[in-house]
């Protein structure tokens, strides 16, 4: 299975990275931007991405 992690709007990359660090911090994963993600469990890494998606969907739905 091939994954494509490119950002559709390149100008949004900085905002997404900042959002990722904020979510990780709220989940108790400190220094997320500077740690080796390979040292985190799949659950920890997945929790960050999952929470990001959950919040983006909630934000979108609140604007409908």
């Amino acid at each position: 299975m091939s994954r494509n992690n490119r950002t559709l709007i390149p100008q949004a990359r900085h905002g997404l990275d900042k959002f990722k660090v904020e979510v990780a911090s709220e989940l108790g994963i400190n220094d997320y931007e500077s740690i080796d993600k390979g040292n985190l469990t799949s659950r920890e890494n997945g929790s960050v991405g999952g929470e990001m998606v959950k919040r983006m969907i909630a934000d979108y739905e609140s604007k409908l």
Side-chain angles (χ1 to χ4, degrees):
M1 177 176 175
S2 175
R3 293 204 134 184
N4 186 353
N5 289 330
R6 68 183 171 91
T7 304
L8 294 177
I9 303 171
Q11 298 84 355
R13 172 57 68 193
H14 177 70
L16 287 171
D17 288 341
K18 183 179 174 190
F19 183 41
K20 187 183 304 182
V21 171
E22 290 173 11
V23 169
S25 178
E26 291 175 16
L27 293 175
I29 305 170
N30 299 319
D31 297 325
Y32 190 78
E33 69 269 48
S34 62
I35 62 174
D36 179 12
K37 308 307 183 282
N39 289 332
L40 296 175
T41 65
S42 296
R43 178 171 289 219
E44 289 171 319
N45 280 314
S47 294
V48 173
E51 185 65 24
M52 287 175 66
V53 170
K54 187 163 113 178
R55 290 182 189 187
M56 286 187 276
I57 290 171
D59 182 59
Y60 178 80
E61 287 177 341
S62 72
K63 293 177 182 177
L64 288 177

